[in-house]
Amino acid sequence: MPPSRRMTLKDLAAELGVSTASISNAFNRPDQLSPMLRERILNEAKRLGYAGPDAKARSLRTGRSQIIAVILAESLTYSLNDAVASELLSGIAEVLDAHGHTMLLLSGRQHGSETHGSTNMADGYIVYGLMPSMTMLSELPAQNPLVAVDFDIEHCPTIHIDNEPASYSIARHALLTPPKRPAVINLRLTKQPCNGRITDEHDLFSAHHTITRSRLMGIHRAFKESGIDPASVPMWNVEENIHDVCAPVIADILDQPEEHRPDLLLCMSDRIALTALTLAEQRGLCVPDDLRITGFDGIAEGQYRAPRLTTVRQDSIEKGRLAARMILGLSPKEQKYLSTELLIGESCP
Amino acid sequence: MPPSRRMTLKDLAAELGVSTASISNAFNRPDQLSPMLRERILNEAKRLGYAGPDAKARSLRTGRSQIIAVILAESLTYSLNDAVASELLSGIAEVLDAHGHTMLLLSGRQHGSETHGSTNMADGYIVYGLMPSMTMLSELPAQNPLVAVDFDIEHCPTIHIDNEPASYSIARHALLTPPKRPAVINLRLTKQPCNGRITDEHDLFSAHHTITRSRLMGIHRAFKESGIDPASVPMWNVEENIHDVCAPVIADILDQPEEHRPDLLLCMSDRIALTALTLAEQRGLCVPDDLRITGFDGIAEGQYRAPRLTTVRQDSIEKGRLAARMILGLSPKEQKYLSTELLIGESCP
DNA sequence: GCTGCTAACTAAATCGTTACAGCTCCATGG
DNA sequence: CCATGGAGCTGTAACGATTTAGTTAGCAGC
């Protein structure tokens, strides 16, 4: 036996003088053979360094790989460092792991034009966020289950939260104390890329970004209810939910002369709000006395600090758990809305 | 053709009246057949809904899956929410993605006693951190490449940083301003689990955790050099690098009567240091005037705040990139030490 | 003694590709 | 006119498992 080639199930069968079926059963179905033979096989396998059936061959034969692919709208580099996406992945991993599955990470923003060759190996797909191109999704094997999170696909079970009411509730809370100069910081909500002040209202609402769009609707509803004309509220936009991208926009906002500087900042995400908090503190502004700030998401970083962020907590971990359970068929595949919770921190009491 | 079964390469070949080899070549090796035939095949494939060769079968035949497994010492739930691990994963993903590979996430802390069935499907393994049990590693296919990060495995290329000198340098910086009451917060450095004050010096240095051990050595060296007996410095320990686990320990430290409360806190990680910062601010202590704090790692969260954390930055993204390059054979497989950088923020000027 | 049943095992087909060897045909060069 | 060679294609043997159907042997019941 040349040690060059790895040992296979067949080799082991020959060595032991039994059929390959018995070896396979010894590893997979203990009830199908006598305990004596099973033990003999397992011992000999260990002695000869056979680590068990090859996953590649098994997956071809059985049609299943025990792999669930998570397709993230953004790049992996971004997603892995984004708290919301990370929590989602945590929840997914937790459930998959408990049921003997593993997680393959893919990005919808495919490198170059080709999708990865290993894409169609997965047993199922969890899609997170708005896909830049739908072609990738249409190329997935149709018979494999697909679950979407925070993004609607036709005829596909989806997990979301109710963004409009959630956003309305936090805005309403903030407006209980009437602001002198409120402002809103949107996330990627303009048709044309715009990192700064939104001057043309008509440029608002890029067709697709329904999540942040709903959040802005909620905010507008709260404004109207408080007798404030939404059109009179200055709006800003950031292109990416990343500190370094948000910082210059927020610096512009805060560096205005005091009589123009907002005293209430409604932010579309905690990342934006935290950046605002940092920049305010660096300028010696007191939060919440000089400036009140709200976020959205409820990430840990916003709660593990002083002052804590006033925000809407969405349970991304639970989103992930549920998505994984749906994919594995442990929960019914349906449209599911998870509840949110208003967290009132010191940043906007 | 019943639409029940998925279309295969062989079906397509029959439909077109060409050999399976030509279909395969049309998808994989354009130079092996005439452009005319290739186009005909690709068109027909699209028309009949054949999405390309099946990854499961291909991986069996070729022996490669284009999948690299990342085995994390901690649970996936922890790792995905830890900034250092996330940055490492980012770096890995970036390089793998650029070279047509995908990333499979595994945890060394296997669920139950069985390792995942899909483990041996990967083409290579990147191991991060101290494995709770080495049996998992010994079961990996021996002919597949293995690269370790922050953890020594015999005869295995490894990527680390020089923890002792890095830790020494930041401690020395902190001690330039002589502290009245310095203290150290260790990370999982006791033999017996201990979340709080370390009273018995003999209990220090759990056999394995060489990283934090080296960091403490560096701190001790700096103390000696400043004429301070390390044994006189109170030491504390936290069991997990998580806010909720660190918080009670740090609360104990800060809630001591003022004459015992430390004025310098050397923390083994940024996570610990940030928790300390938060708790100090909540108690109205001024950092750095009442209390100076240092961390270790250089995570973004520590720099995107005011005051910024004084810390040692290790480039975890680069660690990941390098690990991925080694696994793919793009960089020589060797023992590699990456450099670190002292970041001086306002938390300990 | 015959039938029927179960436990324990085997033989062979199959999963969907890739890769190797070989075949045909036409152009080229001597 | 024959040899040479390459372009373009085909046929088929792996790859390493799982699974179905089938073969024993042993035992119980009548």
Side-chain angles (χ1 to χ4, degrees):
Chain A
M1 178 100 10
S4 64
R5 210 171 53 85
R6 230 186 83 233
M7 165 153 268
T8 72
L9 182 147
K10 200 193 265 181
D11 298 334
L12 185 57
E15 197 79 18
L16 274 158
V18 300
S19 79
T20 61
S22 292
I23 311 279
S24 176
N25 285 331
F27 280 96
N28 301 314
R29 299 189 298 195
D31 57 312
Q32 294 294 304
L33 76 176
S34 66
M36 223 186 62
L37 179 57
R38 183 171 132 93
E39 187 147 355
R40 192 158 75 92
I41 291 176
L42 261 34
N43 283 338
E44 196 70 357
K46 185 167 291 180
R47 200 177 65 78
L48 296 176
Y50 177 71
D54 178 65
K56 302 202 231 357
R58 164 185 290 168
S59 72
L60 169 59
R61 180 57 234 241
T62 64
R64 267 160 300 105
S65 61
Q66 311 288 91
I67 291 177
I68 300 296
V70 181
I71 306 180
L72 299 145
E74 308 289 334
S75 72
L76 294 184
T77 302
Y78 169 81
S79 301
L80 287 165
N81 290 298
D82 177 65
V84 178
S86 292
E87 287 189 3
L88 180 87
L89 292 175
S90 293
I92 294 172
E94 180 189 314
V95 172
L96 292 187
D97 192 50
H99 292 86
H101 285 247
T102 52
M103 184 167 69
L104 188 71
L105 259 35
L106 300 172
S107 174
R109 187 211 56 139
Q110 63 241 28
H111 182 82
S113 63
E114 37 165 355
T115 101
H116 281 118
S118 49
T119 300
N120 65 13
M121 185 142 47
D123 294 343
Y125 302 89
I126 296 174
V127 175
Y128 176 60
L130 173 75
M131 286 301 120
S133 94
M134 295 293 293
T135 61
M136 170 162 200
L137 295 185
S138 61
E139 278 172 8
L140 298 180
Q143 76 278 18
N144 284 1
L146 179 66
V147 168
V149 178
D150 280 357
F151 170 50
D152 280 305
I153 305 178
E154 282 186 47
H155 314 302
C156 176
T158 307
I159 301 162
H160 3 222
I161 57 167
D162 252 334
N163 282 285
E164 200 272 352
S167 192
Y168 164 77
S169 73
I170 192 170
R172 198 186 48 171
H173 164 78
L175 296 175
L176 286 180
T177 307
K180 291 200 186 66
R181 291 173 304 279
V184 175
I185 310 185
N186 294 304
L187 176 56
R188 214 178 321 191
L189 201 55
T190 53
K191 289 193 208 101
Q192 301 302 320
C194 156
N195 214 50
R197 177 85 185 253
I198 299 176
T199 47
D200 182 5
E201 292 278 328
H202 298 95
D203 197 33
L204 258 178
F205 297 136
S206 71
H208 16 310
H209 235 302
T210 58
I211 292 183
T212 45
R213 180 190 177 129
S214 306
R215 291 188 192 166
L216 183 56
M217 308 287 262
I219 290 175
H220 277 189
R221 180 152 65 94
F223 273 132
K224 282 180 213 145
E225 219 179 86
S226 302
I228 302 176
D229 175 15
S232 71
V233 178
M235 292 220 256
W236 304 71
N237 189 66
V238 294
E239 279 300 311
E240 287 200 76
N241 198 37
I242 293 178
H243 177 92
D244 288 339
V245 175
C246 300
V249 175
I250 293 169
D252 275 356
I253 298 176
L254 298 183
D255 289 341
Q256 297 174 96
E258 194 176 336
E259 66 273 19
H260 289 128
R261 196 209 310 132
D263 60 341
L264 172 64
L265 232 37
L266 302 175
C267 306
M268 290 256 154
S269 77
D270 281 0
R271 179 73 274 149
I272 300 173
L274 286 166
T275 299
L277 259 169
T278 299
L279 267 62
E281 285 170 356
Q282 282 172 349
R283 282 160 178 71
L285 296 175
C286 177
V287 175
D289 294 343
D290 301 330
L291 173 64
R292 289 179 297 140
I293 299 177
T294 68
F296 200 109
D297 287 334
I299 66 177
E301 190 177 342
Q303 303 307 308
Y304 295 162
R305 71 184 314 290
R308 281 172 306 177
L309 205 53
T310 294
T311 189
V312 172
R313 170 172 157 69
Q314 58 170 322
D315 195 339
S316 297
I317 298 185
E318 188 56 31
K319 268 188 191 171
R321 289 197 196 105
L322 185 55
R325 279 199 296 263
M326 281 191 189
I327 275 291
L328 298 180
L330 304 170
S331 292
K333 295 199 176 62
E334 55 185 357
Q335 296 288 322
K336 187 93 181 182
Y337 284 84
L338 297 189
S339 65
T340 57
E341 183 192 358
L342 184 58
L343 289 185
I344 300 182
E346 296 80 27
S347 80
C348 179
Chain B
M1 179 99 11
S4 65
R5 210 170 53 85
R6 230 185 85 233
M7 164 153 269
T8 72
L9 181 148
K10 201 192 266 182
D11 299 333
L12 184 58
E15 198 80 18
L16 275 156
V18 300
S19 81
T20 61
S22 292
I23 311 279
S24 177
N25 285 332
F27 281 96
N28 302 313
R29 298 188 299 195
D31 57 311
Q32 294 294 304
L33 75 177
S34 66
M36 223 186 62
L37 179 56
R38 183 172 133 91
E39 187 146 355
R40 192 159 73 93
I41 291 176
L42 262 33
N43 284 338
E44 196 70 357
K46 186 168 289 178
R47 201 178 64 77
L48 296 175
Y50 177 70
D54 179 64
K56 302 200 223 14
R58 164 186 291 169
S59 72
L60 170 60
R61 180 58 235 239
T62 63
R64 266 160 301 104
S65 59
Q66 312 288 90
I67 291 178
I68 300 295
V70 181
I71 305 180
L72 298 144
E74 308 288 334
S75 72
L76 294 184
T77 303
Y78 169 81
S79 301
L80 287 165
N81 290 298
D82 177 64
V84 177
S86 291
E87 287 189 2
L88 181 86
L89 291 174
S90 293
I92 295 172
E94 180 189 318
V95 172
L96 292 186
D97 193 50
H99 291 87
H101 286 246
T102 52
M103 184 167 69
L104 188 71
L105 258 34
L106 300 173
S107 173
R109 188 211 57 139
Q110 61 242 29
H111 182 82
S113 62
E114 37 165 356
T115 100
H116 282 117
S118 48
T119 301
N120 65 13
M121 186 142 46
D123 293 344
Y125 301 88
I126 295 175
V127 175
Y128 175 59
L130 173 75
M131 287 299 122
S133 93
M134 294 295 293
T135 61
M136 171 162 201
L137 295 185
S138 61
E139 278 172 8
L140 298 179
Q143 76 280 15
N144 284 1
L146 180 66
V147 168
V149 177
D150 281 358
F151 169 49
D152 280 305
I153 304 178
E154 282 186 46
H155 313 301
C156 176
T158 307
I159 301 162
H160 3 224
I161 57 167
D162 252 334
N163 282 285
E164 202 272 350
S167 192
Y168 165 78
S169 73
I170 191 169
R172 199 187 47 172
H173 164 79
L175 295 175
L176 286 180
T177 308
K180 291 201 185 68
R181 293 175 302 281
V184 175
I185 310 184
N186 293 304
L187 176 57
R188 215 178 321 190
L189 202 54
T190 54
K191 290 193 207 99
Q192 301 301 321
C194 157
N195 213 51
R197 177 85 184 255
I198 299 177
T199 46
D200 182 4
E201 292 280 328
H202 297 97
D203 196 36
L204 259 178
F205 298 136
S206 71
H208 18 310
H209 235 303
T210 58
I211 292 183
T212 45
R213 181 191 176 128
S214 305
R215 292 188 191 166
L216 183 56
M217 307 287 262
I219 290 175
H220 277 189
R221 182 153 64 93
F223 273 133
K224 282 180 212 144
E225 218 179 88
S226 302
I228 301 176
D229 176 14
S232 71
V233 178
M235 292 219 257
W236 305 70
N237 189 67
V238 294
E239 278 300 311
E240 287 199 77
N241 198 36
I242 294 177
H243 177 92
D244 288 338
V245 174
C246 300
V249 175
I250 293 168
D252 276 354
I253 298 176
L254 298 183
D255 289 341
Q256 297 173 95
E258 195 177 336
E259 66 272 19
H260 289 128
R261 197 209 309 132
D263 60 340
L264 173 64
L265 231 38
L266 302 175
C267 305
M268 290 257 154
S269 78
D270 279 2
R271 180 72 274 150
I272 301 174
L274 285 166
T275 298
L277 258 168
T278 299
L279 267 61
E281 285 169 354
Q282 282 173 349
R283 283 161 178 71
L285 296 175
C286 177
V287 176
D289 294 343
D290 301 328
L291 172 63
R292 289 179 297 139
I293 299 177
T294 68
F296 200 109
D297 287 335
I299 66 177
E301 190 177 342
Q303 303 307 309
Y304 295 160
R305 71 184 314 292
R308 281 172 307 177
L309 206 52
T310 295
T311 189
V312 172
R313 169 172 157 70
Q314 58 170 323
D315 195 340
S316 298
I317 299 184
E318 188 55 31
K319 269 188 191 171
R321 288 197 195 104
L322 186 54
R325 279 199 297 262
M326 281 191 188
I327 275 292
L328 298 180
L330 304 169
S331 292
K333 296 198 175 62
E334 56 186 354
Q335 295 289 322
K336 187 93 180 181
Y337 284 84
L338 297 188
S339 64
T340 57
E341 182 191 359
L342 184 58
L343 289 186
I344 300 181
E346 296 80 27
S347 79
C348 179

